[in-house]
Amino acid sequence: MAQSEGKTEARAEAPGPTEIQSHLVRTELLKASVWLGMALLIGACIILVQPILLIFAGIVMASMLDGGTRLLGRVLPIARGWRLAIVCLTLVAFMAWTVMFAGSQIADQAATLQQVIMVQVERIAAWASAHGMGNFQLDTKTITDNLAGTFGRVTAAVGSVLGGLTSLVMIVVLGIFIAIEPRLYERGVAWMLPMKSRENFYITTARMGFTLRRLMAGRLLGMLVEGIGTWLACLAVGIPMAALMGLLTGLLAFIPNIGAIVSGVLLVLVGFSAGMDTGLYAIAIYFVVQTVDGYLIVPMVAKKTVDLAPALVLGAQILFGALLGLMGLFLADPIVAMIKVALEREAERNAETQPE
């Protein structure tokens, strides 16, 4: 009886048909599984690129809300939740004021902006054709298609009005949720990491948060200065659509390099539509505003944050804009800043572990 029970236990513990005895085969299967997992991860990132960008945009929005909350805490010694509520209500009030008081005026100006730009572009095309530079046939659809192709088509849903509004609402809501309790999400991500990596994770995320808050604060300051400065200067010299020009200049200031070029082209085209003198005034306004932003605001922000080379930022904007669309173009600067902070922290760790 005891011998039969021993044989039964031996048979139960015997290797099954799926048991791999060869150490070489097990090693190679493990390597293949790792490579397959990496390929699946890359494929998932490509498919989910738009949600990933929206999540990162929500983190950027949370950094701006958190920065405003921290700044308000220097003058109002109240609970963080109340300070965050004040910041959010101020943002909502500003948007409501813009829509109620300036919305109709900006809408009327935006309706005529496309016509003005097309007239100026046709004049430039006619001048180029008259001087032997080729025959250009331009229309609104051709320019729109070219711009869409330039910015990429991965995030095409953001290009529509409904998709853009939906994405904006999701970004704001996600940013508010993260800004309410950022430590909660930080601890949640750290919990999934090994114990030995958590301290480095906390240090890296703290530096990333500091850099992102200062970077976004400088960006908002530049948007405010450029938008209000352009609006007041356009009103002073009589450039048409001053409110719209100020709004577009302020919004496009969020995108370094490319935003300044686009806003400058629009400002100059609208200026010359009202006459030669107004066009020259528009060129002067553009250079004055960009000089103030480039020589005062940008260096001041660079001292408080990562000092990103202009060529690096422009190259990242071209790359992310072509691969990821309009969202990638807007988020290229913060992404590069976060990558640089992570690389600097990794270099610091390597320097600490090396023997003297």
Side-chain angles (χ1 to χ4, degrees):
M1 186 67 179
Q3 291 180 354
S4 62
E5 290 179 356
K7 292 180 180 179
T8 303
E9 292 179 359
R11 285 195 299 270
E13 296 179 357
T18 59
E19 183 73 20
I20 300 175
Q21 299 293 330
S22 173
H23 176 72
L24 177 63
V25 174
R26 288 201 304 269
T27 304
E28 294 301 324
L29 282 177
L30 181 60
K31 293 179 181 179
S33 301
V34 172
W35 284 108
L36 180 61
M38 290 294 296
L40 292 176
L41 181 61
I42 294 173
C45 291
I46 295 175
I47 295 174
L48 301 175
V49 60
Q50 182 176 343
I52 292 174
L53 287 177
L54 289 178
I55 293 173
F56 185 78
I59 295 174
V60 174
M61 174 62 69
S63 69
M64 291 189 285
L65 296 176
D66 184 57
T69 303
R70 291 169 181 263
L71 184 62
L72 192 60
R74 297 181 179 181
V75 294
L76 286 180
I78 57 178
R80 173 185 169 81
W82 291 107
R83 286 184 276 122
L84 179 61
I86 293 174
V87 173
C88 294
L89 291 176
T90 303
L91 177 62
V92 172
F94 173 75
M95 295 176 63
W97 177 85
T98 303
V99 172
M100 292 176 59
F101 292 95
S104 58
Q105 181 183 3
I106 292 176
D108 294 338
Q109 294 179 0
T112 60
L113 178 62
Q114 177 181 345
Q115 182 180 359
V116 171
I117 292 177
M118 287 307 303
V119 170
Q120 295 300 101
V121 170
E122 289 174 358
R123 289 180 180 177
I124 295 174
W127 179 85
S129 300
H131 288 77
M133 298 182 185
N135 187 15
F136 298 94
Q137 297 294 331
L138 299 175
D139 55 14
T140 305
K141 185 177 183 303
T142 303
I143 296 176
T144 304
D145 293 341
N146 290 333
L147 289 176
T150 301
F151 291 142
R153 302 181 184 275
V154 177
T155 55
V158 183
S160 62
V161 176
L162 181 60
L165 292 177
T166 304
S167 301
L168 181 61
V169 171
M170 292 176 61
I171 290 170
V172 173
V173 173
L174 184 61
I176 293 174
F177 284 151
I178 296 176
I180 291 174
E181 188 59 43
R183 300 298 180 188
L184 175 65
Y185 304 98
E186 185 181 22
R187 291 193 300 267
V189 176
W191 177 78
M192 296 185 291
L193 299 176
M195 292 289 294
K196 61 180 181 180
S197 302
R198 293 182 183 180
E199 181 180 359
N200 177 61
F201 172 77
Y202 284 127
I203 295 175
T204 304
T205 52
R207 294 184 181 180
M208 284 184 174
F210 176 82
T211 300
L212 195 57
R213 288 193 301 269
R214 295 300 180 91
L215 183 66
M216 291 300 102
R219 194 62 47 77
L220 291 176
L221 179 61
M223 293 171 63
L224 184 65
V225 171
E226 291 192 28
I228 296 178
T230 303
W231 171 51
L232 295 177
C234 290
L235 283 178
V237 300
I239 295 179
M241 295 175 284
L244 183 60
M245 289 296 99
L247 178 63
L248 291 177
T249 302
L251 293 177
L252 290 173
F254 187 84
I255 312 175
N257 303 324
I258 295 179
I261 296 174
V262 175
S263 62
V265 171
L266 294 177
L267 181 61
V268 171
L269 290 177
V270 173
F272 277 104
S273 67
M276 180 63 67
D277 294 338
T278 311
L280 295 177
Y281 280 130
I283 295 176
I285 291 172
Y286 171 75
F287 279 107
V288 170
V289 171
Q290 295 303 322
T291 299
V292 171
D293 183 59
Y295 287 95
L296 294 179
I297 299 176
V298 172
M300 180 179 63
V301 173
K303 291 180 181 179
K304 301 293 184 180
T305 60
V306 288
D307 192 4
L308 298 176
L312 175 63
V313 176
L314 182 59
Q317 289 172 346
I318 295 173
L319 179 63
F320 290 139
L323 294 178
L324 306 177
L326 193 61
M327 286 287 292
L329 181 65
F330 272 90
L331 298 175
D333 195 22
I335 291 175
V336 173
M338 296 301 96
I339 293 175
K340 185 176 181 181
V341 171
L343 293 177
E344 288 176 348
R345 173 57 187 166
E346 187 64 25
E348 181 181 331
R349 290 185 61 200
N350 294 334
E352 292 175 354
T353 56
Q354 289 179 358
E356 295 182 0

